[in-house]
Amino acid sequence: ESVDEGTGPGSGGEKYDAIVDNPFLRVLDQPLSTFSIDVDTASYSKVRQYLTGYNKMPRPDAVRIEELLNYFHYEYAGPSTDQSEPFATHVAVSDCPWNRDHRLVRLALKGREMEAAARPFSNLVLLIDSSGSMKQTNKLPLLKRGMQMLLRQLNQKDRVAIVAYAGSAGMVLDSTPADQTKKIVRALGSLKAQGSTNGGQGLQLAYQIARDNFIEGGTNRVLLCTDGDFNVGMTGTDQMVNEVERQS
């Protein structure tokens, strides 16, 4: 049997990609630089959880400086209406407090904010892990509250479907106009955490529903809401990533 195709739980706990410090490069030798625009904020919440919830230092590979910076809102000005660029840049240079021979450079980007009325319509499929490990108050119950907050930002032109998976996957709510909040909230409220985790089956069903309700030119997304590893059926990370790429 392949190590990527287990039928039981693998090693538990949180997993992070190792953080590797890049070597220092002289500008004279490497005058060009590129960077990705990372908008993730999860690391700040994880660091805060370690400090305030566990009363201990976070794992080093859980600390991603850019995600801590991204967590906060800054009052940078965006591009003006007469600019065609999608974002504005703000650059500042200062002395380095711990080494006067060096300089610190801050590059800040502020994207153009889209008016709510101009937002493309959304076809969202919530793929929710309802396995037994999701019982904790900061898992499935917190997820339900977060989904209710999301509903307040949607309207009748948007659609929401809910697929839950534990030992097997099943439709909880077929694609529904997002202004039918009572119906959607009632479906969320029916979710109970129990059973093992068959995420692969849920993923396939969720993508099928997304295809059935595809909005041309809209935002068509499967949102996977889970606390960790899949331990039934398609369990390996590589398998799941390959399936997502194939379905997308």
Side-chain angles (χ1 to χ4, degrees), residues 189-239:
S190 71
L191 294 173
K192 300 290 187 292
Q194 57 188 359
S196 54
T197 313
N198 192 337
Q201 189 181 61
L203 195 66
Q204 292 164 348
L205 176 57
Y207 272 110
Q208 183 59 54
I209 296 170
R211 279 193 296 271
D212 291 345
N213 298 277
F214 190 82
I215 298 176
E216 193 70 39
T219 301
N220 299 277
R221 293 287 184 275
V222 171
L223 306 180
L224 174 60
C225 312
T226 181
D227 69 337
D229 295 340
F230 306 129
N231 54 32
V232 173
M234 189 185 300
T235 59
T237 300
D238 290 344
Q239 282 183 303

Side-chain angles (χ1 to χ4, degrees), residues 33 39 47 67 80 90 97 121-122 163 172 175 188 195 204 211 214 223 230 238 245:
S33 178
V39 297
V47 169
E67 295 187 18
S80 61
H90 302 271
F121 300 139
S122 296
V163 172
V172 176
S175 188
L188 285 169
Q204 292 164 348
R211 279 193 296 271
F214 190 82
L223 306 180
F230 306 129
D238 290 344
E245 291 176 344

Side-chain angles (χ1 to χ4, degrees), residues 38-49 64-74:
D38 184 350
V39 297
D40 294 335
T41 61
S43 181
Y44 180 91
S45 298
K46 295 304 300 181
V47 169
R48 182 178 59 192
Q49 183 182 45
R64 299 176 180 176
I65 300 302
E66 73 277 11
E67 295 187 18
L68 272 63
L69 293 173
N70 289 344
Y71 188 86
F72 299 95
H73 293 284
Y74 303 95

